Amino acid sequence: MRVSGKAVLCSLVALLLLCGLVGILAGQRFRNRQEETAIPDDRVAVEAAAVLEGKYACLTFDDGPSENTAAILEILARYQAPATFFVTAQPINEPYLDQLPLIAAGGHQIGLHSASHRYAEIYRSTTDFWLDIKQLRQTLSAYVDVEQIHWLRFPGGSTNTVSHRYGGSDIMKDLVAQAEEKGYHWIDWNVCGEDATSAHPDAAAILRNVKEGAEGRDVCVVLLHDTAATRQTVQALPEILDWFADQEYEFCTVEQMYALTKEN
Ligand SMILES: [Zn+2]
C-alpha cells in the first residue's frame, strides 16, 4: 500500500492536536485538585478509631469566618453539634471576624489555618510560614483567647505538594516537625466534602461526597469550608448532620475527640 506524504503529515498533525487536547484536559484536572492534597494524613483519626468505642464525627470548616458563618452556627446549635473552625485572616474574612467570639461561645473549637492563605508566600520558607501564623494569632487575639488555641491545619493539608514549588520538597516535613516542637497539634482530614472545588458541587453532591468518604470509618474528620463561595455547604449541612446522627455518630470538636483518645 502506498501512503502519500500528505496523508502521513495529516495523521501526524491530528495526533499532535489530540495529544495537546488530552494534555490541556489533564492539566485542567490537575489544577482543579491541586489546592488540596489527594492523600491527607489521617493518623489522628486512625489512632482515635483504634482506641475509642463508638463513632465520632468531627465536622471541620476551613477558611472562615465568612458571610455564611452565622448560618452554619445556627444549624450546628439546632443539632447541638460541636464543630471545629480552622480560620484565616484574609481581607475577605475581615468583615466577619466578629463571628469569632460567637463560634467560641457556641462550644466550637477555633483552630489556626493561615493569615493570608497564599501558598506562594506561606510555603516560601518555614520562617515565612510561622510569620504568617504569628500574624493570624495577632489578628485573632482581638476577638478570642489565642492562648487556648493549640491546633492547626496546614493549608492544602500536611502532605500537599504545591508547597514544594515554593519552599522545596522538604518544606511540609520540616513544618510538621516544627509544629510539633512548638507544641501545636495538627490534623488533616479523612472525609472530604469537596465543596470548594472549581466544579462548585451542589448540596446533594456534597452530601454524597461526605457519605462516600465516611463509609466504613468510625472516626470521621470531615473537611468542609466556610466561605462566601460555599453557600451549598450550608444547604447540605442539615442533611449531613442528620445522616451522621442516623448512623449513630456523636459530634465533637477535634480537640474533644483527641482528649477522649487520651482518656482511653
Ligand atoms: Zn484553606
Side-chain angles (χ1 to χ4, degrees), residues 14 58 74 80 83-84 103 118-119 151-152 162 175 182 208 211 251:
C58 303
E74 188 271 312
Q80 297 186 312
T84 305
I103 295 174
R118 281 196 222 112
Y119 285 43
W151 284 80
L152 64 84
V162 190
L175 285 175
K182 288 172 190 285
R208 200 167 53 238
K211 283 187 193 175
F251 297 106

Side-chain angles (χ1 to χ4, degrees), residues 172-189:
M172 293 316 300
K173 205 169 58 150
D174 292 345
L175 285 175
V176 161
Q178 289 172 5
E180 288 165 6
E181 277 164 31
K182 288 172 190 285
Y184 283 116
H185 297 287
W186 57 272
I187 190 162
D188 288 346
W189 56 90

Side-chain angles (χ1 to χ4, degrees), residues 36 62-63 113 117 155 225:
E36 264 134 23
D62 284 12
D63 301 352
H113 194 36
H117 209 287
H225 290 82

Side-chain angles (χ1 to χ4, degrees), residues 16-193:
L16 280 174
L17 282 174
L18 188 68
C19 287
L21 188 66
V22 168
I24 287 165
L25 287 175
Q28 199 75 40
R29 191 174 160 74
F30 175 72
R31 267 193 298 283
N32 290 348
R33 298 205 55 96
Q34 72 181 6
E35 286 303 299
E36 264 134 23
T37 182
I39 308 168
D41 183 327
D42 66 346
R43 81 179 77 159
V44 178
V46 166
E47 282 170 15
V51 297
L52 293 178
E53 305 260 328
K55 304 203 284 188
Y56 295 88
C58 303
L59 300 190
T60 68
F61 296 91
D62 284 12
D63 301 352
S66 78
E67 62 190 47
N68 286 316
T69 308
I72 292 172
L73 289 177
E74 188 271 312
I75 296 166
L76 291 173
R78 213 184 323 141
Y79 284 80
Q80 297 186 312
T84 305
F85 292 75
F86 289 102
V87 300
T88 61
Q90 307 168 71
I92 200 167
N93 301 113
E94 249 161 53
Y96 308 101
L97 290 176
D98 57 4
Q99 294 289 315
L100 291 167
L102 301 176
I103 295 174
H108 307 293
Q109 179 188 351
I110 293 174
L112 306 173
H113 194 36
S114 171
S116 76
H117 209 287
R118 281 196 222 112
Y119 285 43
E121 290 172 22
I122 62 174
Y123 290 138
R124 193 160 43 200
S125 70
T126 57
T127 308
D128 284 299
F129 181 84
W130 294 113
L131 278 174
D132 173 84
I133 289 291
K134 190 180 173 192
Q135 172 65 53
L136 177 61
R137 291 179 63 101
Q138 243 160 35
T139 305
L140 298 183
S141 66
Y143 301 90
V144 289
D145 181 3
V146 285
E147 298 308 317
Q148 301 300 314
I149 301 180
H150 304 295
W151 284 80
L152 64 84
R153 171 172 283 159
F154 296 103
S158 70
T159 56
N160 84 78
T161 52
V162 190
S163 57
H164 298 181
R165 224 184 283 158
Y166 311 109
S169 56
D170 284 338
I171 183 119
M172 293 316 300
K173 205 169 58 150
D174 292 345
L175 285 175
V176 161
Q178 289 172 5
E180 288 165 6
E181 277 164 31
K182 288 172 190 285
Y184 283 116
H185 297 287
W186 57 272
I187 190 162
D188 288 346
W189 56 90
N190 61 1
V191 178
C192 185

